[in-house]
Amino acid sequence: MNSVKSSWEIFRQKTHIIIYGTNTVAGRLFDLILLGIILLSVLLVMLETVEGIDLKFHEQLVFLEWVITIFFTIEYILRIITINKPIKYILSFYGIIDLIATLPMYLSFFFAGTSIFTTIRALRLLRLFKILNHPQFSGQSVHLRESIIASRGKILVFMYFVLISCIIIGSVMYVVEGKEAGFTSIPTSIYWCIVTLTTVGYGDISPITPLGQFIASLVMIMGYGIIAVPTGIVTAELAKNTTPKMPLPNKLHCFECGSETHLSDAKYCQNCGHSLDEN
């Protein structure tokens, strides 16, 4: 029994290093292959919606989708059994996405048309950030996240101001233009204001009176300024965060709980206390 158990533990550890280890050659190679398969999966779903290609290669496309689904299923199971605390992975952000990526093809047995949702697998491409485990990429992502968090209060106040402005301008345009020009209600007029303010301009509704056109011109000019404000807020916070800080920790992976934020000379996991030498 001991030899069987030992062989099982060796298998778990080696598989864990390949699947979770972004700092190893085997781990990076596995992740790159995984990203390639994800891209192929999304491409197959897109091709299936092209009528000419689907009519000619439908069976081949479905077969390849099932092969990829089975691969993702095996990978998901291996991720669970090769970590000592699988519930942490299952309930994690990547764990939930990995599960969702395997479900659409199975659900197609019970609900027609659900296989199209396999495009959700594109979310798994977010693992690219785990592969690009370089201090430069990690540092920039941390700075961006900190800047957005620091800017959220100002951005929320700004968005509130924009919302109030759209309500007021939409109400004015409803009175000025009326139903003849397509401004059939205040909500419709607010929709027009949002579309115009964001410089999208679908053209489905447009003012016909001189006063309405003048107001629309002001809204369009306002739109260019409004687009620049959030960018300026985040840029200002980014400038503050460019000051030198403590070096970012290398992402040593804990076999027990899956935590990755450890210094290069760490011996034990800061999250669960498990020895990192056993990884």
Side-chain angles (χ1 to χ4, degrees):
M1 284 297 289
N2 290 335
S3 60
V4 174
K5 183 178 179 182
S6 177
S7 300
W8 170 247
E9 287 300 323
I10 291 172
F11 167 77
R12 287 184 66 221
Q13 289 190 1
K14 286 185 177 180
T15 308
H16 178 90
I17 291 171
I18 294 173
I19 293 179
Y20 287 98
T22 56
N23 290 325
T24 64
V25 175
R28 284 179 177 268
L29 180 61
F30 174 81
D31 284 338
L32 288 173
I33 293 172
L34 179 63
L35 290 178
I37 294 174
I38 294 168
L39 285 171
L40 176 61
S41 173
V42 175
L43 177 63
L44 289 174
V45 177
M46 292 180 181
L47 291 176
E48 195 176 353
T49 61
V50 180
E51 186 176 353
I53 295 176
D54 185 50
L55 286 173
K56 192 173 182 180
F57 302 104
H58 178 75
E59 291 183 1
Q60 292 87 339
L61 291 173
V62 172
F63 173 76
L64 288 174
E65 286 175 15
W66 271 113
V67 170
I68 293 173
T69 297
I70 292 170
F71 173 82
F72 285 153
T73 304
I74 295 172
E75 181 223 351
Y76 181 73
I77 293 171
L78 287 174
R79 286 184 181 276
I80 293 175
I81 66 176
T82 56
I83 194 169
N84 289 344
K85 293 185 178 179
I87 194 67
K88 284 186 174 288
Y89 162 71
I90 292 171
L91 298 179
S92 68
F93 173 73
Y94 286 108
I96 293 171
I97 288 179
D98 292 346
L99 175 62
I100 293 174
T102 64
L103 292 179
M105 289 300 291
Y106 294 117
L107 290 176
S108 64
F109 281 121
F110 308 100
F111 306 101
T114 54
S115 61
I116 198 68
F117 291 107
T118 49
T119 52
I120 294 173
R121 290 172 181 169
L123 289 173
R124 299 199 72 195
L125 294 173
L126 293 173
R127 287 190 180 276
L128 179 64
F129 294 108
K130 293 173 74 73
I131 297 173
L132 296 176
N133 189 20
H134 189 279
Q136 182 180 357
F137 294 107
S138 301
Q140 294 301 324
S141 64
V142 169
H143 291 327
L144 181 61
R145 183 174 68 249
E146 290 177 349
S147 301
I148 292 174
I149 291 173
S151 307
R152 67 182 184 275
K154 296 176 184 177
I155 293 175
L156 284 174
V157 171
F158 172 74
M159 294 303 294
Y160 178 74
F161 167 76
V162 172
L163 178 62
I164 296 299
S165 299
C166 287
I167 292 173
I168 294 172
I169 295 171
S171 301
V172 170
M173 288 299 288
Y174 172 72
V175 174
V176 171
E177 291 295 324
K179 297 181 179 180
E180 295 79 9
F183 295 81
T184 55
S185 65
I186 290 180
T188 302
S189 301
I190 293 172
Y191 156 78
W192 168 86
C193 181
I194 294 171
V195 170
T196 306
L197 197 63
T198 54
T199 69
V200 176
Y202 290 127
D204 52 344
I205 305 172
S206 57
I208 57 176
T209 65
L211 179 57
Q213 291 172 349
F214 174 74
I215 295 173
S217 301
L218 294 179
V219 172
M220 284 183 265
I221 294 171
M222 235 169 83
Y224 286 104
I226 283 175
I227 291 171
V229 172
T231 306
I233 293 172
V234 177
T235 302
E237 293 296 336
L238 275 171
K240 292 180 185 178
N241 290 331
T242 52
T243 54
K245 294 184 178 181
M246 290 291 291
L248 292 167
N250 292 327
K251 292 187 176 180
L252 296 178
H253 197 278
C254 175
F255 180 73
E256 180 75 14
C257 68
S259 177
E260 292 185 333
T261 54
H262 307 98
L263 294 173
S264 57
D265 58 348
K267 300 296 182 183
Y268 298 95
C269 176
Q270 64 183 11
N271 185 45
C272 67
H274 183 73
S275 175
L276 296 176
D277 293 333
E278 298 178 21
N279 289 348

PDB file of all heavy atoms in Angstrom, residues 46 59 63-64 91 105 144 155 177:
ATOM      1  N   MET A  46     -16.796  29.839 -33.974  1.00  0.00           N
ATOM      2  CA  MET A  46     -17.031  30.903 -34.951  1.00  0.00           C
ATOM      3  C   MET A  46     -17.277  30.322 -36.339  1.00  0.00           C
ATOM      4  O   MET A  46     -18.192  30.752 -37.062  1.00  0.00           O
ATOM      5  CB  MET A  46     -15.827  31.849 -34.981  1.00  0.00           C
ATOM      6  CG  MET A  46     -15.650  32.675 -33.724  1.00  0.00           C
ATOM      7  SD  MET A  46     -14.206  33.755 -33.845  1.00  0.00           S
ATOM      8  CE  MET A  46     -14.260  34.555 -32.251  1.00  0.00           C
ATOM      9  N   GLU A  59     -19.862  17.795 -39.111  1.00  0.00           N
ATOM     10  CA  GLU A  59     -19.497  16.648 -38.284  1.00  0.00           C
ATOM     11  C   GLU A  59     -18.063  16.772 -37.758  1.00  0.00           C
ATOM     12  O   GLU A  59     -17.789  16.446 -36.600  1.00  0.00           O
ATOM     13  CB  GLU A  59     -19.645  15.353 -39.090  1.00  0.00           C
ATOM     14  CG  GLU A  59     -21.098  15.010 -39.404  1.00  0.00           C
ATOM     15  CD  GLU A  59     -21.214  13.682 -40.133  1.00  0.00           C
ATOM     16  OE1 GLU A  59     -20.155  13.043 -40.365  1.00  0.00           O
ATOM     17  OE2 GLU A  59     -22.347  13.296 -40.471  1.00  0.00           O
ATOM     18  N   PHE A  63     -16.986  17.077 -33.846  1.00  0.00           N
ATOM     19  CA  PHE A  63     -16.041  16.097 -33.307  1.00  0.00           C
ATOM     20  C   PHE A  63     -14.873  16.795 -32.598  1.00  0.00           C
ATOM     21  O   PHE A  63     -14.493  16.424 -31.480  1.00  0.00           O
ATOM     22  CB  PHE A  63     -15.517  15.204 -34.433  1.00  0.00           C
ATOM     23  CG  PHE A  63     -14.417  14.263 -34.004  1.00  0.00           C
ATOM     24  CD1 PHE A  63     -14.702  13.126 -33.273  1.00  0.00           C
ATOM     25  CD2 PHE A  63     -13.092  14.551 -34.320  1.00  0.00           C
ATOM     26  CE1 PHE A  63     -13.688  12.265 -32.863  1.00  0.00           C
ATOM     27  CE2 PHE A  63     -12.076  13.701 -33.920  1.00  0.00           C
ATOM     28  CZ  PHE A  63     -12.372  12.554 -33.190  1.00  0.00           C
ATOM     29  N   LEU A  64     -14.308  17.819 -33.249  1.00  0.00           N
ATOM     30  CA  LEU A  64     -13.183  18.548 -32.653  1.00  0.00           C
ATOM     31  C   LEU A  64     -13.600  19.276 -31.370  1.00  0.00           C
ATOM     32  O   LEU A  64     -12.838  19.334 -30.400  1.00  0.00           O
ATOM     33  CB  LEU A  64     -12.612  19.539 -33.665  1.00  0.00           C
ATOM     34  CG  LEU A  64     -11.827  18.933 -34.828  1.00  0.00           C
ATOM     35  CD1 LEU A  64     -11.444  20.009 -35.837  1.00  0.00           C
ATOM     36  CD2 LEU A  64     -10.570  18.232 -34.318  1.00  0.00           C
ATOM     37  N   LEU A  91     -13.689  27.184  -6.071  1.00  0.00           N
ATOM     38  CA  LEU A  91     -14.406  28.441  -5.813  1.00  0.00           C
ATOM     39  C   LEU A  91     -13.616  29.671  -6.234  1.00  0.00           C
ATOM     40  O   LEU A  91     -14.098  30.795  -6.079  1.00  0.00           O
ATOM     41  CB  LEU A  91     -14.750  28.537  -4.317  1.00  0.00           C
ATOM     42  CG  LEU A  91     -15.684  27.442  -3.777  1.00  0.00           C
ATOM     43  CD1 LEU A  91     -15.926  27.631  -2.294  1.00  0.00           C
ATOM     44  CD2 LEU A  91     -17.010  27.427  -4.544  1.00  0.00           C
ATOM     45  N   MET A 105     -21.007  22.080 -24.040  1.00  0.00           N
ATOM     46  CA  MET A 105     -21.197  20.904 -24.898  1.00  0.00           C
ATOM     47  C   MET A 105     -22.016  19.830 -24.197  1.00  0.00           C
ATOM     48  O   MET A 105     -22.839  19.155 -24.833  1.00  0.00           O
ATOM     49  CB  MET A 105     -19.839  20.342 -25.322  1.00  0.00           C
ATOM     50  CG  MET A 105     -19.093  21.223 -26.316  1.00  0.00           C
ATOM     51  SD  MET A 105     -19.980  21.512 -27.869  1.00  0.00           S
ATOM     52  CE  MET A 105     -19.918  19.874 -28.609  1.00  0.00           C
ATOM     53  N   LEU A 144      -1.574  49.466 -12.507  1.00  0.00           N
ATOM     54  CA  LEU A 144      -2.851  49.788 -13.147  1.00  0.00           C
ATOM     55  C   LEU A 144      -4.016  49.501 -12.205  1.00  0.00           C
ATOM     56  O   LEU A 144      -4.943  50.312 -12.093  1.00  0.00           O
ATOM     57  CB  LEU A 144      -3.003  48.983 -14.444  1.00  0.00           C
ATOM     58  CG  LEU A 144      -4.285  49.230 -15.247  1.00  0.00           C
ATOM     59  CD1 LEU A 144      -4.378  50.686 -15.679  1.00  0.00           C
ATOM     60  CD2 LEU A 144      -4.318  48.310 -16.478  1.00  0.00           C
ATOM     61  N   ILE A 155     -14.221  58.738 -10.381  1.00  0.00           N
ATOM     62  CA  ILE A 155     -14.912  58.277 -11.586  1.00  0.00           C
ATOM     63  C   ILE A 155     -16.408  58.098 -11.324  1.00  0.00           C
ATOM     64  O   ILE A 155     -17.245  58.435 -12.164  1.00  0.00           O
ATOM     65  CB  ILE A 155     -14.283  56.967 -12.097  1.00  0.00           C
ATOM     66  CG1 ILE A 155     -12.865  57.234 -12.604  1.00  0.00           C
ATOM     67  CG2 ILE A 155     -15.128  56.355 -13.215  1.00  0.00           C
ATOM     68  CD1 ILE A 155     -12.101  55.996 -13.029  1.00  0.00           C
ATOM     69  N   GLU A 177     -37.899  69.115 -29.393  1.00  0.00           N
ATOM     70  CA  GLU A 177     -38.106  68.404 -30.661  1.00  0.00           C
ATOM     71  C   GLU A 177     -39.485  67.764 -30.775  1.00  0.00           C
ATOM     72  O   GLU A 177     -40.138  67.849 -31.799  1.00  0.00           O
ATOM     73  CB  GLU A 177     -37.015  67.338 -30.828  1.00  0.00           C
ATOM     74  CG  GLU A 177     -35.631  67.909 -31.063  1.00  0.00           C
ATOM     75  CD  GLU A 177     -35.534  68.662 -32.382  1.00  0.00           C
ATOM     76  OE1 GLU A 177     -36.173  68.241 -33.371  1.00  0.00           O
ATOM     77  OE2 GLU A 177     -34.815  69.681 -32.418  1.00  0.00           O
TER      78      GLU A 177
END
